Amino acid sequence: MQQAQAALQQGDIRRAYMEYQRVLAVEPGNRAALHGLAEIALSQGQEAVAGNYYQRALQADPRDLRAEVGLIGLQARQAPQAAEARLRDLLAQQPEEALLHYALGNLQASRSDWPEAQAAFLQAYRIEPDNPDYLFNLAVSFDSLQQPQQALRFYRLALAAAEQRPAGFDRRQAQMRLAALRAPQESQ
């Protein structure tokens, strides 16, 4: 599992795929491997394959929130209102679940509803302040709402957090945006 996750973090998709498959050969219901394979499938535009892996994870554990959120994310592409309603239902049951706030923020960001997305990302951050992806998306929301000081702060926090634990965002993109936001300040 560690080799698969390390390969995925390094961007070696082929090796990560093989390592996750090796884990599943021994342990067919390993949810971490199923999630990793779903992530790989999504990165390659294979939504149906990703949905299959999420379904398998839910079969292994019907309470697997990450798999359920993954399926909702896939549903959001075809039926965004139904996906949002499902997320809000889950949030009503589990208001302290950061992943649900994050997923809702991503859905709202996909519609460019930045004030609502930012509120959701702030909730996720409040619950789990060291998650690099929550920090990054919060930075993007501040950036999109023309709040450069806050965006700078959260891009820095996201990059620092990504040094401590795996992150899904592109670090180069965050560094480039950070440099672009700093440039006007340094020229003053």
Side-chain angles (χ1 to χ4, degrees), residues 33-114:
L34 292 166
H35 294 164
L37 288 166
E39 187 177 325
I40 290 170
L42 283 174
S43 75
Q44 297 177 334
Q46 300 173 335
E47 293 180 6
V49 173
N52 184 27
Y53 285 124
Y54 286 136
Q55 288 289 353
R56 286 176 59 188
L58 280 173
Q59 289 170 351
D61 180 359
R63 297 167 299 158
D64 185 336
L65 190 60
R66 185 172 168 196
E68 187 162 0
V69 166
L71 286 172
I72 292 169
L74 291 172
Q75 174 192 21
R77 296 165 196 218
Q78 284 12 326
Q81 291 159 332
E84 183 171 350
R86 179 67 182 131
L87 283 172
R88 290 192 184 280
D89 286 346
L90 288 170
L91 272 166
Q93 298 165 24
Q94 302 172 68
E96 291 300 309
E97 185 57 59
L99 180 60
L100 293 173
H101 291 284
Y102 177 69
L104 180 60
N106 284 332
L107 181 63
Q108 292 162 329
S110 73
R111 311 191 289 254
S112 296
D113 185 353
W114 289 108

Side-chain angles (χ1 to χ4, degrees), residues 94-157:
Q94 302 172 68
E96 291 300 309
E97 185 57 59
L99 180 60
L100 293 173
H101 291 284
Y102 177 69
L104 180 60
N106 284 332
L107 181 63
Q108 292 162 329
S110 73
R111 311 191 289 254
S112 296
D113 185 353
W114 289 108
E116 290 296 317
Q118 184 177 74
F121 294 142
L122 278 166
Q123 278 298 101
Y125 164 70
R126 181 188 62 76
I127 296 165
E128 196 177 329
D130 61 345
N131 184 303
D133 294 317
Y134 300 175
L135 292 162
F136 177 77
N137 282 24
L138 191 49
V140 171
S141 74
F142 281 115
D143 209 352
S144 298
L145 290 169
Q146 307 299 312
Q147 299 172 341
Q149 292 303 316
Q150 288 292 73
L152 271 168
R153 175 177 175 237
F154 283 98
Y155 281 125
R156 285 182 184 124
L157 289 170

